[in-house]
Amino acid sequence: MRVSWATEAVPGRDWPNEDFVAAAAGAVVVLDGCSLPPGTDLGCRHGTAWYARTLGMELLTRLLESPPGRPEERGEGLRPLLARAIDSVAARHVRTCDLGHPATPAATVVALRAGGGTVEHLVLADSTLLLDSGDSLEVVSVQGAQTYAAADLRAASRALTGARPAGALRRAALLTDGATRLADRFRLLGWQDLMAVLAGEGPGALIRRTRETEDGDPHCRRWPRHKRHDDATAALCVF
């Protein structure tokens, strides 16, 4: 599996990128930290960018250390690994932060792992996974999500999981909602078209196209939205 990716914070904003992407041999994770206005009391001294980054690395480590098909994962997909990652991050800051605060840092999660002839995936909340077999494209996302990865490991039970034979996939894309706007908000591309941009021009080109479209509607009138720009991350996996 070859992975290429791009990530970009909101242009011109003095605020860290709250998306996170990381990849290693056979695994990739993409997280979108749930943004709140600057100055919002999170009950946490670390912040949303720290949470997304820390949870992402915890999950990636577990994806690499846990061989595919372990007995405790059968029937659960990658949910147990996400649950343990959430619990580990909570343990890191429970003594310094109020993890029961309603605005405690949270994130969406998309993960992919290839090994043992199988490609496994996990999607929690409204980031998007595209699975391209060459003949068809499956879009995996939880629209209208109410559950995100935060301090409660039980959130992992709400994740969508699945597995396919490695030979059944040509490409996969892991996308935060800042990188899917051309398809799901602006309706300028279909999902197949968006995948074609990723495969033909690369993740960075998709984000550039998105920024150009956002800049063409600076007052959010043509495409009503809460934010002119959003952090955007796209990872492309080729098998």
Side-chain angles (χ1 to χ4, degrees):
M1 181 175 73
R2 299 192 308 275
V3 182
S4 58
W5 54 267
T7 185
E8 182 180 289
V10 170
R13 184 185 68 181
D14 185 20
W15 195 252
N17 189 346
E18 293 175 335
D19 284 0
F20 177 76
V21 55
V28 57
V29 297
V30 168
L31 289 82
D32 182 355
C34 299
S35 298
L36 293 171
T40 299
D41 178 14
L42 304 178
C44 174
R45 70 183 190 182
H46 300 92
T48 300
W50 173 88
Y51 178 77
R53 179 176 67 250
T54 305
L55 179 61
M57 289 306 300
E58 286 279 353
L59 178 57
L60 182 64
T61 298
R62 283 164 173 74
L63 291 170
L64 298 172
E65 291 180 346
S66 174
R70 289 183 64 171
E72 64 268 28
E73 295 176 32
R74 291 173 188 164
E76 284 293 313
L78 303 180
R79 294 188 192 100
L81 301 184
L82 177 58
R84 292 200 287 275
I86 291 171
D87 202 37
S88 178
V89 176
R92 287 194 185 197
H93 66 143
V94 67
R95 295 183 182 275
T96 60
C97 306
D98 178 8
L99 304 191
H101 194 287
T104 192
T108 72
V109 182
V110 186
L112 196 78
R113 179 172 69 178
T118 301
V119 179
E120 303 166 273
H121 69 263
L122 175 147
V123 180
L124 178 65
D126 55 358
S127 287
T128 298
L129 173 69
L130 303 181
L131 298 170
D132 183 6
S133 69
D135 297 319
S136 63
L137 185 73
E138 181 182 355
V139 181
V140 184
S141 184
V142 182
Q143 298 305 315
Q146 300 296 316
T147 302
Y148 298 82
D152 187 344
L153 61 83
R154 291 175 295 181
S157 67
R158 304 295 297 274
L160 303 177
T161 61
R164 293 188 179 195
L169 276 180
R170 184 181 178 188
R171 291 183 288 252
L174 297 78
L175 306 152
T176 63
D177 61 358
T180 59
R181 286 181 160 189
L182 290 175
D184 60 7
R185 182 167 294 277
F186 303 152
R187 307 287 183 181
L188 295 176
L189 296 178
W191 291 111
Q192 288 277 12
D193 301 320
L194 190 147
M195 178 61 89
V197 172
L198 284 168
E201 302 176 41
L206 175 64
I207 294 175
R208 285 194 298 273
R209 287 195 185 196
T210 302
R211 296 296 187 232
E212 290 169 0
T213 302
E214 293 166 338
D215 287 340
D217 181 34
H219 303 295
C220 306
R221 291 171 181 163
R222 181 177 179 186
W223 296 291
R225 55 199 190 276
H226 295 300
K227 296 180 285 188
R228 174 179 174 182
H229 300 294
D230 196 3
D231 299 334
T233 300
L236 175 68
C237 307
V238 180
F239 301 96

